[in-house]
Amino acid sequence: MKSLTPLLASLLVTSATAFRPIQPFTGHLERGLEHHLSGRRQETGKKGLIRVPLEVYSRNNGKTELQWLATITVGTPPQTFKVVLDTGSTALILPRGNCTDCGKHTLFDPSKSTSFSPQPGLFQPIEYGTGADTIPLNQTGRAECEVVTDTVSIQDRAVSKQEFMLCDSYGEALSSQLADGILGIGFNDISAWDENGNFTYLPFLPNLISDGQLPNRIVGLALGSGGKKHQQRGPEASIGGTDCARYRGRIKNVNVDETLTTLSGTFIVDVQAAYIGSRDSKQVWRNSTNDNKSLTPGAALVDSGTAYMLAPDRQTAEDLYSDISRDIVPLDDRGSWGASCATLDKMATDITFTIGTETGGEVVEVTMPKSAFNLGEYPGKKGVCQAAFSHSNPPFYEPVEGRPAWVFGSPLIKAYYTVWNAKGGALGWAQKA
Ligand SMILES: *[C@@H]1O[C@H](CO)[C@@H](O)[C@H](O)[C@H]1NC(C)=O
Ligand SMILES: *[C@@H]1O[C@H](CO)[C@@H](O)[C@H](O)[C@H]1NC(C)=O
Ligand SMILES: *[C@@H]1O[C@H](CO)[C@@H](O)[C@H](O)[C@H]1NC(C)=O
Ligand SMILES: *[C@@H]1O[C@H](CO)[C@@H](O)[C@H](O)[C@H]1NC(C)=O
Ligand SMILES: *[C@@H]1O[C@H](CO)[C@@H](O)[C@H](O)[C@H]1NC(C)=O
């Protein structure tokens, strides 16, 4: 599920100029230090990183993986919720006990919590750009929420007065998702703002850090099954540092696009090119040697809460698929593409992106493996399977320079051990252990 913080929503729908981040971008110098610290503090137990097992929600007998959920508790005595670890947002969002369109979720009942406070009580509509499923939304979703306060815990770490969004209306996309709520673990140390556009509340992870309960803002995500060594080990997040046991080799760090990332509060990287297949094998974008064409450089929101890949516009998706097979066609008017399941499996291919910029950080090639190309049967269309890339409708261009903007969701993210370093302004990619 990709939720948009109000900030990101406004980035998409209007202009971003009204918003000022309170947390200055801290640059890259701290990164090495933080890795070092996280390694050291792991041994001291309590204040080190925590390893959070994630539950994967899927359909099509596990073929279509949709959401990775962590368990948190809220209130006194604790009420338990399953929340999406969402790098595409920064707030904690939960459904309120009186919600009538929140689906079958566990609802938070404030009257049963002695530590609950309805303050600050600020009304906060939340807009989101994609739902829990692989099919794009036909319109921006909207939940109606209020900012309230209570104790929030994950494993043995607790924030006693955590502000979060309690929603009495979820809207279709949130109510149909499998998770009860969303735990935004995005970039900014902010999760909401008031009517004047002033940022206010510290999200859960920054609060844990300022309280000395976590060493840093690094989250490592092992969403996919492990490599040979760790096939038995399920998906897992390490919060407060990287987990050396889950990756091998070096973590390649891509600096986030500073402007877009600070504005949106989510991890946005520059995209230089896309290739069908891998770049090493020279199967470049247009595979004929005289006509190799790379996609327009752009930006990509890298979002653990989206279960598919989203191309900036229809033309881009058309270009991509026309180089793979003419049999891959639009499936609906929302931007989904696909073909008959047997055909799609045969034409499945790796897709490689070059991300990052030379001016700081690394330029890295990341590959969505062909095993992630077929998202499984399209709901309601027997024998028709959805391909990993959909297109944005309307087109999605970032608001600062108007570059085409992608969303890289879990089909790419789960192929790697990813390291989300908010303080260092970097997104790391490593081979799974
Ligand atoms: C749910 O309860 C809150 C707080 O009492 C109230 O403000 C809100 O209007 C209620 N919502 C619905 C849908 O009844
Ligand atoms: C979007 O889809 C929902 C449910 O499928 C439908 O109720 C709604 O009318 C659609 N909205 C638009 C703008 O097409
Ligand atoms: C919020 O922002 C407005 C306009 O930028 C400013 O005038 C006001 O003082 C701010 N309020 C607070 C509480 O910071
Ligand atoms: C390039 O594409 C053509 C058909 O479009 C195919 O026959 C050929 O094998 C491809 N070459 C490579 C290197 O993939
Ligand atoms: C691929 O395209 C680039 C840029 O247009 C060009 O410099 C290069 O020579 C092309 N490669 C081949 C093998 O044609």
PDB file of all heavy atoms in Angstrom, residues 236-255:
ATOM      1  N   GLU A 236      11.975  -9.465   6.830  1.00  0.00           N
ATOM      2  CA  GLU A 236      12.356  -8.871   8.106  1.00  0.00           C
ATOM      3  C   GLU A 236      12.797  -7.427   7.878  1.00  0.00           C
ATOM      4  O   GLU A 236      13.332  -7.105   6.827  1.00  0.00           O
ATOM      5  CB  GLU A 236      13.535  -9.676   8.654  1.00  0.00           C
ATOM      6  CG  GLU A 236      13.738  -9.609  10.141  1.00  0.00           C
ATOM      7  CD  GLU A 236      14.845 -10.585  10.572  1.00  0.00           C
ATOM      8  OE1 GLU A 236      15.867 -10.722   9.860  1.00  0.00           O
ATOM      9  OE2 GLU A 236      14.672 -11.201  11.614  1.00  0.00           O
ATOM     10  N   ALA A 237      12.564  -6.599   8.872  1.00  0.00           N
ATOM     11  CA  ALA A 237      13.112  -5.245   8.844  1.00  0.00           C
ATOM     12  C   ALA A 237      14.077  -5.120  10.004  1.00  0.00           C
ATOM     13  O   ALA A 237      13.838  -5.673  11.077  1.00  0.00           O
ATOM     14  CB  ALA A 237      11.991  -4.216   8.998  1.00  0.00           C
ATOM     15  N   SER A 238      15.183  -4.430   9.784  1.00  0.00           N
ATOM     16  CA  SER A 238      16.018  -4.065  10.925  1.00  0.00           C
ATOM     17  C   SER A 238      15.857  -2.562  11.094  1.00  0.00           C
ATOM     18  O   SER A 238      16.089  -1.802  10.160  1.00  0.00           O
ATOM     19  CB  SER A 238      17.467  -4.476  10.710  1.00  0.00           C
ATOM     20  OG  SER A 238      17.992  -3.853   9.563  1.00  0.00           O
ATOM     21  N   ILE A 239      15.402  -2.171  12.260  1.00  0.00           N
ATOM     22  CA  ILE A 239      15.131  -0.751  12.516  1.00  0.00           C
ATOM     23  C   ILE A 239      16.213  -0.238  13.452  1.00  0.00           C
ATOM     24  O   ILE A 239      16.421  -0.793  14.528  1.00  0.00           O
ATOM     25  CB  ILE A 239      13.718  -0.568  13.115  1.00  0.00           C
ATOM     26  CG1 ILE A 239      12.682  -1.074  12.099  1.00  0.00           C
ATOM     27  CG2 ILE A 239      13.459   0.886  13.469  1.00  0.00           C
ATOM     28  CD1 ILE A 239      11.247  -0.956  12.561  1.00  0.00           C
ATOM     29  N   GLY A 240      16.916   0.797  13.003  1.00  0.00           N
ATOM     30  CA  GLY A 240      18.006   1.345  13.797  1.00  0.00           C
ATOM     31  C   GLY A 240      19.366   0.869  13.328  1.00  0.00           C
ATOM     32  O   GLY A 240      20.356   1.069  14.018  1.00  0.00           O
ATOM     33  N   GLY A 241      19.441   0.271  12.157  1.00  0.00           N
ATOM     34  CA  GLY A 241      20.733  -0.148  11.626  1.00  0.00           C
ATOM     35  C   GLY A 241      20.579  -1.229  10.576  1.00  0.00           C
ATOM     36  O   GLY A 241      19.485  -1.764  10.381  1.00  0.00           O
ATOM     37  N   THR A 242      21.688  -1.538   9.908  1.00  0.00           N
ATOM     38  CA  THR A 242      21.642  -2.609   8.924  1.00  0.00           C
ATOM     39  C   THR A 242      21.931  -3.939   9.608  1.00  0.00           C
ATOM     40  O   THR A 242      22.619  -3.987  10.620  1.00  0.00           O
ATOM     41  CB  THR A 242      22.693  -2.392   7.823  1.00  0.00           C
ATOM     42  OG1 THR A 242      23.977  -2.220   8.444  1.00  0.00           O
ATOM     43  CG2 THR A 242      22.375  -1.150   7.014  1.00  0.00           C
ATOM     44  N   ASP A 243      21.400  -4.995   9.058  1.00  0.00           N
ATOM     45  CA  ASP A 243      21.574  -6.323   9.614  1.00  0.00           C
ATOM     46  C   ASP A 243      22.531  -7.104   8.718  1.00  0.00           C
ATOM     47  O   ASP A 243      22.148  -7.599   7.663  1.00  0.00           O
ATOM     48  CB  ASP A 243      20.204  -7.012   9.683  1.00  0.00           C
ATOM     49  CG  ASP A 243      20.283  -8.375  10.335  1.00  0.00           C
ATOM     50  OD1 ASP A 243      21.411  -8.862  10.553  1.00  0.00           O
ATOM     51  OD2 ASP A 243      19.214  -8.950  10.621  1.00  0.00           O
ATOM     52  N   CYS A 244      23.774  -7.178   9.164  1.00  0.00           N
ATOM     53  CA  CYS A 244      24.831  -7.799   8.340  1.00  0.00           C
ATOM     54  C   CYS A 244      24.477  -9.206   7.910  1.00  0.00           C
ATOM     55  O   CYS A 244      24.964  -9.700   6.898  1.00  0.00           O
ATOM     56  CB  CYS A 244      26.143  -7.843   9.103  1.00  0.00           C
ATOM     57  SG  CYS A 244      26.602  -6.264   9.780  1.00  0.00           S
ATOM     58  N   ALA A 245      23.634  -9.880   8.676  1.00  0.00           N
ATOM     59  CA  ALA A 245      23.309 -11.266   8.345  1.00  0.00           C
ATOM     60  C   ALA A 245      22.420 -11.357   7.105  1.00  0.00           C
ATOM     61  O   ALA A 245      22.282 -12.431   6.530  1.00  0.00           O
ATOM     62  CB  ALA A 245      22.607 -11.921   9.526  1.00  0.00           C
ATOM     63  N   ARG A 246      21.811 -10.251   6.696  1.00  0.00           N
ATOM     64  CA  ARG A 246      20.850 -10.322   5.598  1.00  0.00           C
ATOM     65  C   ARG A 246      21.391  -9.886   4.249  1.00  0.00           C
ATOM     66  O   ARG A 246      20.670  -9.860   3.263  1.00  0.00           O
ATOM     67  CB  ARG A 246      19.590  -9.480   5.927  1.00  0.00           C
ATOM     68  CG  ARG A 246      18.797  -9.938   7.128  1.00  0.00           C
ATOM     69  CD  ARG A 246      18.343 -11.394   7.083  1.00  0.00           C
ATOM     70  NE  ARG A 246      17.507 -11.769   5.967  1.00  0.00           N
ATOM     71  CZ  ARG A 246      16.209 -12.033   6.051  1.00  0.00           C
ATOM     72  NH1 ARG A 246      15.578 -11.936   7.201  1.00  0.00           N
ATOM     73  NH2 ARG A 246      15.529 -12.411   4.996  1.00  0.00           N
ATOM     74  N   TYR A 247      22.635  -9.465   4.194  1.00  0.00           N
ATOM     75  CA  TYR A 247      23.174  -9.097   2.876  1.00  0.00           C
ATOM     76  C   TYR A 247      24.618  -9.525   2.783  1.00  0.00           C
ATOM     77  O   TYR A 247      25.269  -9.833   3.784  1.00  0.00           O
ATOM     78  CB  TYR A 247      23.036  -7.597   2.624  1.00  0.00           C
ATOM     79  CG  TYR A 247      23.887  -6.702   3.492  1.00  0.00           C
ATOM     80  CD1 TYR A 247      25.146  -6.269   3.061  1.00  0.00           C
ATOM     81  CD2 TYR A 247      23.445  -6.298   4.745  1.00  0.00           C
ATOM     82  CE1 TYR A 247      25.927  -5.447   3.855  1.00  0.00           C
ATOM     83  CE2 TYR A 247      24.223  -5.480   5.547  1.00  0.00           C
ATOM     84  CZ  TYR A 247      25.474  -5.065   5.101  1.00  0.00           C
ATOM     85  OH  TYR A 247      26.236  -4.263   5.897  1.00  0.00           O
ATOM     86  N   ARG A 248      25.121  -9.559   1.538  1.00  0.00           N
ATOM     87  CA  ARG A 248      26.542  -9.842   1.366  1.00  0.00           C
ATOM     88  C   ARG A 248      27.123  -8.796   0.436  1.00  0.00           C
ATOM     89  O   ARG A 248      26.408  -8.154  -0.333  1.00  0.00           O
ATOM     90  CB  ARG A 248      26.755 -11.259   0.834  1.00  0.00           C
ATOM     91  CG  ARG A 248      26.060 -11.548  -0.459  1.00  0.00           C
ATOM     92  CD  ARG A 248      26.075 -13.045  -0.763  1.00  0.00           C
ATOM     93  NE  ARG A 248      25.088 -13.360  -1.777  1.00  0.00           N
ATOM     94  CZ  ARG A 248      25.297 -13.240  -3.080  1.00  0.00           C
ATOM     95  NH1 ARG A 248      26.441 -12.808  -3.530  1.00  0.00           N
ATOM     96  NH2 ARG A 248      24.346 -13.530  -3.950  1.00  0.00           N
ATOM     97  N   GLY A 249      28.419  -8.642   0.518  1.00  0.00           N
ATOM     98  CA  GLY A 249      29.083  -7.639  -0.315  1.00  0.00           C
ATOM     99  C   GLY A 249      28.835  -6.249   0.231  1.00  0.00           C
ATOM    100  O   GLY A 249      28.445  -6.074   1.387  1.00  0.00           O
ATOM    101  N   ARG A 250      29.032  -5.292  -0.645  1.00  0.00           N
ATOM    102  CA  ARG A 250      28.992  -3.897  -0.250  1.00  0.00           C
ATOM    103  C   ARG A 250      27.589  -3.338  -0.472  1.00  0.00           C
ATOM    104  O   ARG A 250      26.894  -3.734  -1.402  1.00  0.00           O
ATOM    105  CB  ARG A 250      29.986  -3.142  -1.139  1.00  0.00           C
ATOM    106  CG  ARG A 250      30.355  -1.755  -0.688  1.00  0.00           C
ATOM    107  CD  ARG A 250      31.492  -1.211  -1.544  1.00  0.00           C
ATOM    108  NE  ARG A 250      31.135  -1.061  -2.953  1.00  0.00           N
ATOM    109  CZ  ARG A 250      30.473  -0.019  -3.445  1.00  0.00           C
ATOM    110  NH1 ARG A 250      30.093   0.955  -2.659  1.00  0.00           N
ATOM    111  NH2 ARG A 250      30.173   0.044  -4.729  1.00  0.00           N
ATOM    112  N   ILE A 251      27.193  -2.423   0.398  1.00  0.00           N
ATOM    113  CA  ILE A 251      25.943  -1.703   0.157  1.00  0.00           C
ATOM    114  C   ILE A 251      26.254  -0.538  -0.775  1.00  0.00           C
ATOM    115  O   ILE A 251      27.119   0.285  -0.484  1.00  0.00           O
ATOM    116  CB  ILE A 251      25.353  -1.166   1.476  1.00  0.00           C
ATOM    117  CG1 ILE A 251      25.008  -2.323   2.418  1.00  0.00           C
ATOM    118  CG2 ILE A 251      24.128  -0.306   1.207  1.00  0.00           C
ATOM    119  CD1 ILE A 251      24.661  -1.887   3.827  1.00  0.00           C
ATOM    120  N   LYS A 252      25.595  -0.499  -1.923  1.00  0.00           N
ATOM    121  CA  LYS A 252      25.801   0.615  -2.861  1.00  0.00           C
ATOM    122  C   LYS A 252      24.803   1.713  -2.528  1.00  0.00           C
ATOM    123  O   LYS A 252      23.593   1.499  -2.615  1.00  0.00           O
ATOM    124  CB  LYS A 252      25.615   0.136  -4.290  1.00  0.00           C
ATOM    125  CG  LYS A 252      26.634  -0.906  -4.710  1.00  0.00           C
ATOM    126  CD  LYS A 252      26.356  -1.359  -6.132  1.00  0.00           C
ATOM    127  CE  LYS A 252      27.347  -2.436  -6.556  1.00  0.00           C
ATOM    128  NZ  LYS A 252      26.933  -3.058  -7.829  1.00  0.00           N
ATOM    129  N   ASN A 253      25.340   2.862  -2.157  1.00  0.00           N
ATOM    130  CA  ASN A 253      24.470   3.939  -1.702  1.00  0.00           C
ATOM    131  C   ASN A 253      24.173   4.949  -2.800  1.00  0.00           C
ATOM    132  O   ASN A 253      25.086   5.534  -3.373  1.00  0.00           O
ATOM    133  CB  ASN A 253      25.113   4.653  -0.518  1.00  0.00           C
ATOM    134  CG  ASN A 253      24.884   3.909   0.774  1.00  0.00           C
ATOM    135  OD1 ASN A 253      23.737   3.688   1.157  1.00  0.00           O
ATOM    136  ND2 ASN A 253      25.953   3.500   1.426  1.00  0.00           N
ATOM    137  N   VAL A 254      22.906   5.144  -3.075  1.00  0.00           N
ATOM    138  CA  VAL A 254      22.462   6.150  -4.029  1.00  0.00           C
ATOM    139  C   VAL A 254      21.964   7.345  -3.222  1.00  0.00           C
ATOM    140  O   VAL A 254      21.115   7.178  -2.341  1.00  0.00           O
ATOM    141  CB  VAL A 254      21.320   5.587  -4.903  1.00  0.00           C
ATOM    142  CG1 VAL A 254      20.720   6.680  -5.764  1.00  0.00           C
ATOM    143  CG2 VAL A 254      21.826   4.436  -5.745  1.00  0.00           C
ATOM    144  N   ASN A 255      22.525   8.508  -3.505  1.00  0.00           N
ATOM    145  CA  ASN A 255      21.999   9.678  -2.819  1.00  0.00           C
ATOM    146  C   ASN A 255      20.587   9.959  -3.288  1.00  0.00           C
ATOM    147  O   ASN A 255      20.295   9.860  -4.481  1.00  0.00           O
ATOM    148  CB  ASN A 255      22.861  10.906  -3.123  1.00  0.00           C
ATOM    149  CG  ASN A 255      24.144  10.912  -2.316  1.00  0.00           C
ATOM    150  OD1 ASN A 255      24.374  10.021  -1.508  1.00  0.00           O
ATOM    151  ND2 ASN A 255      24.964  11.914  -2.534  1.00  0.00           N
TER     152      ASN A 255
END
